[in-house]
Structure formats: structure tokens, C-alpha cells
Amino acid sequence: MRRTTLIMFAIVTLSSCNALKNTVEASSDLSKLGGTWELNYISGPRIAFNGLYPGQKPKLLFNLSEKRVSGNSSCNSFSGKLLADDTSINFNEPLAATKMACPGEGEAVFFEMLKKVNKYAISGDTTLNFMMGDIAIMRFRKIE
């Protein structure tokens, strides 16, 4: 019984390491960042994702030729300068945004998490992970 438990522990540990390895091996290439991305995961809040964004999900549009980022926070539109290279991205510069009153906490959570992002990785050209260090804190899927 003890040997079976030890073997199961080893399998789970190795599987976990392999899953982490797949995340780390995702490519980071500024040219792949261009286009429109829709948020489908955000870490931190204790509210379910669909509760944060019941109407529409936040979107980001990266215009690489103009070095601009724009989007929608699920309520207000925003735009600003794109500060990114092949591995890092920064949203600490002020973004211009509309000022409509927004229900719930979704917009505030979205902008607060963007400020924490310092790296990104793209998996399979369709999944964009924003990271704080090595931890994925936001995930987007490419829609255009």
C-alpha cells in the first residue's frame, strides 16, 4: 500500500512538472501579439468570472505598426501607448479611457491586474497569458 502511494505521488509530481514546463515553453514574440484578444481568465477576485463580466468580456487590440493598445474594459473604452518587446509588456503608463459609470467590480479588477503585468507568453498563436513574474494572472484568446 505504501509503495503504491509513493508511486502515485511520483506520477502526480512528474505530471505537474510537465504541465508547468508546457506553460514556460510558450513563445513570446511581439509580432504574434498583434490583433484582438478577449479575456477569458483573471486571477484574484473571489467573484466568478461570469459574475465580473456578465455583459461583455474585456478586449485588447494591439496595433503593432502604430505601437498602440486599445480596448474595452467590459464597460469603458481605453487606449494608450504599447510598451512591449518579445517577452515583456507594461501597462503602467496612463491609458486614456471613457468615464461611463460601470456596475460591479469587473472594470476595476481588470485595470488593477493590468498594472501588475510585466511579461507575456503566447501559446499556439491563440492563447495570450499575461504574467506577473512567472505566474499567469490573466489569459486571453485571440478573436481577430
Side-chain angles (χ1 to χ4, degrees):
M1 179 72 170
R2 185 172 183 199
R3 183 179 176 149
T4 304
T5 304
L6 188 58
I7 291 171
M8 291 300 289
F9 177 75
I11 290 171
V12 169
T13 302
L14 291 173
S15 297
S16 298
C17 291
N18 195 30
L20 180 60
K21 182 179 174 187
N22 289 339
T23 302
V24 173
E25 288 178 359
S27 72
S28 295
D29 180 354
L30 188 60
S31 66
K32 293 181 180 181
L33 191 59
T36 304
W37 301 84
E38 183 178 67
L39 184 71
N40 62 16
Y41 167 80
I42 192 165
S43 74
R46 294 179 184 241
I47 300 170
F49 183 82
N50 290 335
L52 280 174
Y53 309 107
Q56 73 174 358
K57 298 173 187 172
K59 293 181 182 72
L60 292 172
L61 173 99
F62 295 101
N63 184 325
L64 301 179
S65 62
E66 296 181 15
K67 297 183 179 167
R68 305 282 301 162
V69 61
S70 60
N72 188 292
S73 66
S74 80
C75 180
N76 283 295
S77 297
F78 62 89
S79 65
K81 185 177 179 182
L82 175 60
L83 302 171
D85 61 24
D86 284 345
T87 59
S88 65
I89 193 163
N90 180 311
F91 293 97
N92 290 327
E93 291 287 319
L95 296 169
T98 57
K99 298 288 184 186
M100 294 189 314
C102 304
E105 300 174 30
E107 180 178 64
V109 170
F110 177 74
F111 282 128
E112 194 59 38
M113 292 306 281
L114 276 181
K115 291 178 186 175
K116 295 178 180 181
V117 171
N118 59 11
K119 289 180 13 181
Y120 73 95
I122 299 171
S123 303
D125 296 339
T126 59
T127 302
L128 169 63
N129 288 296
F130 279 170
M131 297 175 291
M132 181 176 63
D134 292 331
I135 300 168
I137 59 173
M138 300 173 89
R139 184 178 60 234
F140 298 79
R141 71 177 179 88
K142 191 156 198 173
I143 58 174
E144 291 179 19

